[in-house]
Amino acid sequence: MSDDEIILSELSDKELVQQMHDDLYDGLKEEIEEATRILLDRGWAPYDILTQALVEGMRIVGIDFRDGILFVPEVLLSANAMKAGMTILRPLLASTGAPKQGKMVIGTVKGDIHDIGKNLVGMMMEGAGFDVIDLGINNPVENYLEAIEREKPDILGMSALLTTTMPYMKVVIDTLKEKGIREDYIVLVGGAPLNEEFGKAVGADAYCRDAAVAVETAKDFIRRKHNSLAAR
Ligand code: B12
């Protein structure tokens, strides 16, 4: 059967998720939107669609990008398709009615334009009851400073997907230290090339491997912050 004969709504859940991986690979935005809606109609939890269909699909794209089978223009189409699916899921993830937890400022560091992971973390944090101020991509240290001064968040989150841009996180954290305000914020870092050791080395409070870990870690730090304030 050729692709254009596939009727998404007639596929089983498993086939549909598989088809979404293929459609994400091919950058088919409308198909991703349709399939996302179908899974929602079938009672799928938004988080499961996000992880099993979209994030897993992008993982496969990442492998072929790494191996030189896919190139930037194709991966951009995949990213756009993924974002279209995320746009449908976002309000559903954000409206969980979770009690207010705190505020987060998040942005991708200077030189880096990857934003899917950051957006996903922002969405999940909103769903968990955090107010999220998203600074977007390619942020120099000044942007972070200005935003934390203005927003007075509990958490500062930085994202980097390139080995060449991840050291910039240290520039931001060192600047906070120089200004004597490092301890005023919980600093969380993330992105595919990072690891726990790197997080420690740059002076972050924690490295988070994915959005779910980011939410749990953020809640944990907020609890600790409240406990230590209460103990004063
Ligand atoms: C999509 C993509 C692109 C898209 C980005 C579109 C967009 N709007 O984001 C485009 C095509 C533009 C792109 C461009 C480039 N890319 Co690119 N890209 C990817 C790809 C395939 C997927 C990234 C992604 O979205 N993953 C899905 C999300 C959900 O995962 P994630 O980002 O890791 O986020 C999760 C966690 O890391 C964590 N997290 C992320 N951020 C944060 C922040 C905080 C605070 C916390 C707590 C957690 C957290 O939670 C997220 C959700 O669970 C990766 C492959 C890979 N393995 O990562 C390459 C990859 C990152 N890109 C790579 C490269 C080389 C490039 C280019 C230099 C290519 C080129 N020659 O031009 C350019 C760089 C442009 C720039 N200056 O930034 C390399 C990096 C290699 C390296 N070691 O540095 C990778 C690894 C591919 C590869 N193996 O070669 N890319």
Side-chain angles (χ1 to χ4, degrees):
M1 200 170 23
S2 77
D3 262 7
D4 49 3
E5 286 169 31
I6 294 173
I7 298 171
L8 294 176
S9 60
E10 288 178 356
L11 300 179
S12 70
D13 284 12
K14 196 166 168 234
E15 289 166 340
L16 187 55
V17 169
Q18 180 63 52
Q19 186 62 40
M20 286 177 81
H21 297 164
D22 293 350
D23 288 346
L24 199 74
Y25 192 96
D26 294 334
L28 302 177
K29 181 171 171 242
E30 279 161 25
E31 282 76 356
I32 289 295
E33 286 173 335
E34 187 186 340
T36 301
R37 291 204 177 91
I38 293 171
L39 287 178
L40 283 172
D41 285 345
R42 291 186 190 173
W44 274 55
Y47 181 69
D48 291 341
I49 303 175
L50 200 60
T51 50
Q52 294 177 34
L54 300 179
V55 174
E56 175 57 16
M58 193 45 101
R59 192 187 65 80
I60 299 166
V61 169
I63 294 170
D64 278 5
F65 188 28
R66 180 196 63 204
D67 295 344
I69 298 166
L70 289 176
F71 296 95
V72 168
E74 291 141 339
V75 178
L76 258 180
L77 287 179
S78 300
N80 284 342
M82 172 146 188
K83 284 185 174 185
M86 284 167 65
T87 303
I88 297 173
L89 298 175
R90 184 187 178 130
L92 304 170
L93 283 166
S95 66
T96 54
K100 279 285 158 233
Q101 295 275 351
K103 200 189 244 191
M104 177 186 218
V105 162
I106 189 169
T108 302
V109 298
K110 186 175 165 183
D112 202 319
I113 64 165
H114 294 86
D115 66 355
I116 294 176
K118 165 188 71 61
N119 295 351
L120 226 151
V121 171
M123 277 165 55
M124 295 279 295
M125 292 290 289
E126 278 176 359
F130 287 86
D131 287 327
V132 176
I133 307 344
D134 188 342
L135 306 181
I137 55 174
N138 194 20
N139 283 289
V141 60
E142 295 78 16
N143 289 10
Y144 291 106
L145 289 176
E146 195 202 305
I148 58 179
E149 167 71 23
R150 188 181 64 234
E151 302 290 344
K152 314 254 181 300
D154 306 283
I155 303 171
L156 172 63
M158 287 186 278
S159 181
L161 267 287
L162 300 171
T163 42
T164 48
T165 57
M166 60 190 218
Y168 196 76
M169 292 176 169
K170 186 165 183 329
V171 173
V172 177
I173 294 173
D174 284 350
T175 309
L176 296 180
K177 284 182 186 160
E178 277 161 29
K179 295 190 170 293
I181 54 173
R182 166 65 187 89
E183 296 312 318
D184 297 348
Y185 307 99
I186 299 158
V187 179
L188 302 183
V189 295
L194 279 63
N195 56 32
E196 205 147 341
E197 207 173 304
F198 176 83
K200 283 205 187 95
V202 296
D205 288 299
Y207 152 78
C208 307
R209 136 180 120 247
D210 62 29
V213 173
V215 166
E216 286 319 308
T217 309
K219 282 191 193 164
D220 203 37
F221 273 100
I222 293 283
R223 252 193 311 270
R224 282 192 235 169
K225 186 175 163 181
H226 289 166
N227 288 347
S228 71
L229 285 177
R232 274 188 196 172

